[in-house]
Amino acid sequence: MPGVDLSGKVAIITGAAQGQGAAEARLFADLGARVVLTDVLVDKGREVAAAIGDSARFLHHDVSDESGWAAAVDTAVSEFGRLDVLVNNAAICKVVPLTEQTADGFDQMFRVNLLGAFLGIKAVVEPMKAAGGGSIVNISSQAGVQGLAGYTAYGASKWGLRGMSKVAAIELGPLGIRVNTVYPGMIDTPMIAHLDVERGPGGHPGAPLTRVGTPEEVAEVVAFLASDASSYITGADLTVDGGASAGRIPVTPTHSS
């Protein structure tokens, strides 16, 4: 099987100013891609793009704004000549019990996490068709494969993304556009700053691998799905959660003689 090679590909990665998005952008560039990084965090986004160099551009972009998507696509095509990959990575997360979740808060999370991805998918279809096909990678969450207390709005948005990805894979497959979904678990990014967890072995006993993951480990999976090494994969769900969604770690049985 060929290795992961993104030479000649042009990608848009949203939420790329920090965390998983920044790791994805750096890895994509290392693998030969040219990358448009987008985010609402302007200073951090510019810093990441500058560190990557000539193969990267940064654009301020609110993913819930349809006109912003047109600008992102225009940047990719005008700067690099084509568009092959979209990584819908941008998301917001607030842990709120169901009975305390407001309608406005619910709507805000849906606008960024689900509507934003929907607008992105629509925006890239034509340029990907012109490029002869493409790959869309939607970043969901462990909260998109199982219920997690306190994540009513976030989880609903990520379950919605899961369903939308399936439909998009079916409708866009005949155009040569693949759509797959990645489900990160507890990853060492600013999004888990509110959680009291330790890094390193044993820091995440809720996962069979017993540790928090790194953004780079998620980026490797995303790069594979963006590359031609995954050319016959679409509509797939890939969890990157240390096994947390597989179930609870069982108590080690004792054996009597």
Side-chain angles (χ1 to χ4, degrees):
M1 184 178 75
V4 175
D5 181 4
L6 297 178
S7 298
K9 295 191 183 297
V10 176
I12 294 173
I13 302 177
T14 67
Q18 59 185 0
Q20 290 174 187
E24 291 155 7
R26 288 190 291 264
L27 179 59
F28 273 42
D30 288 345
L31 293 173
R34 291 166 292 174
V35 187
V36 176
L37 298 77
T38 85
D39 209 303
V40 295
L41 303 176
V42 175
D43 291 341
K44 289 183 177 181
R46 286 174 176 167
E47 288 175 7
V48 175
I52 292 173
D54 291 341
S55 59
R57 300 288 187 274
F58 173 74
L59 181 71
H60 175 264
H61 177 206
D62 173 0
V63 295
S64 66
D65 175 18
E66 192 163 10
S67 64
W69 275 106
V73 169
D74 287 346
T75 298
V77 174
S78 63
E79 292 288 321
F80 299 128
R82 57 188 292 136
L83 179 60
D84 306 278
V85 180
L86 167 65
V87 182
N88 275 315
N89 176 80
I92 57 174
C93 178
K94 296 179 181 178
V95 182
V96 184
L98 185 150
T99 56
E100 298 174 19
Q101 179 66 67
T102 66
D104 286 344
F106 196 96
D107 182 65
Q108 181 188 31
M109 232 172 294
F110 260 69
R111 288 189 62 79
V112 175
N113 299 356
L114 187 55
L115 176 65
F118 163 73
L119 294 175
I121 293 170
K122 284 188 65 178
V124 302
V125 169
E126 289 303 320
M128 284 187 178
K129 283 172 60 178
S135 173
I136 298 170
V137 184
N138 293 324
I139 309 299
S140 183
S141 167
Q142 183 185 343
V145 294
Q146 62 183 171
L148 299 176
Y151 291 83
T152 302
Y154 182 76
S157 70
K158 291 302 189 177
W159 277 91
L161 182 59
R162 182 181 190 180
M164 184 172 69
S165 298
K166 301 294 187 185
V167 176
I170 293 167
E171 293 191 5
L172 302 181
L175 304 177
I177 299 172
R178 298 182 294 109
V179 185
N180 293 291
T181 313
V182 173
Y183 300 83
M186 193 174 293
I187 307 298
D188 191 7
T189 71
M191 192 171 280
I192 69 165
H194 64 286
L195 300 175
D196 183 20
V197 295
E198 297 180 6
R199 276 60 174 173
H204 183 19
L209 294 184
T210 76
R211 64 174 177 83
V212 173
T214 69
E216 289 73 22
E217 288 174 306
V218 179
E220 292 281 357
V221 175
V222 175
F224 166 69
L225 292 174
S227 77
D228 293 340
S230 61
S231 59
Y232 200 55
I233 299 176
T234 194
D237 299 319
L238 280 81
T239 56
V240 188
D241 63 0
S245 61
R248 295 185 180 276
I249 299 176
V251 175
T252 302
T254 57
H255 299 279
S256 59
S257 56

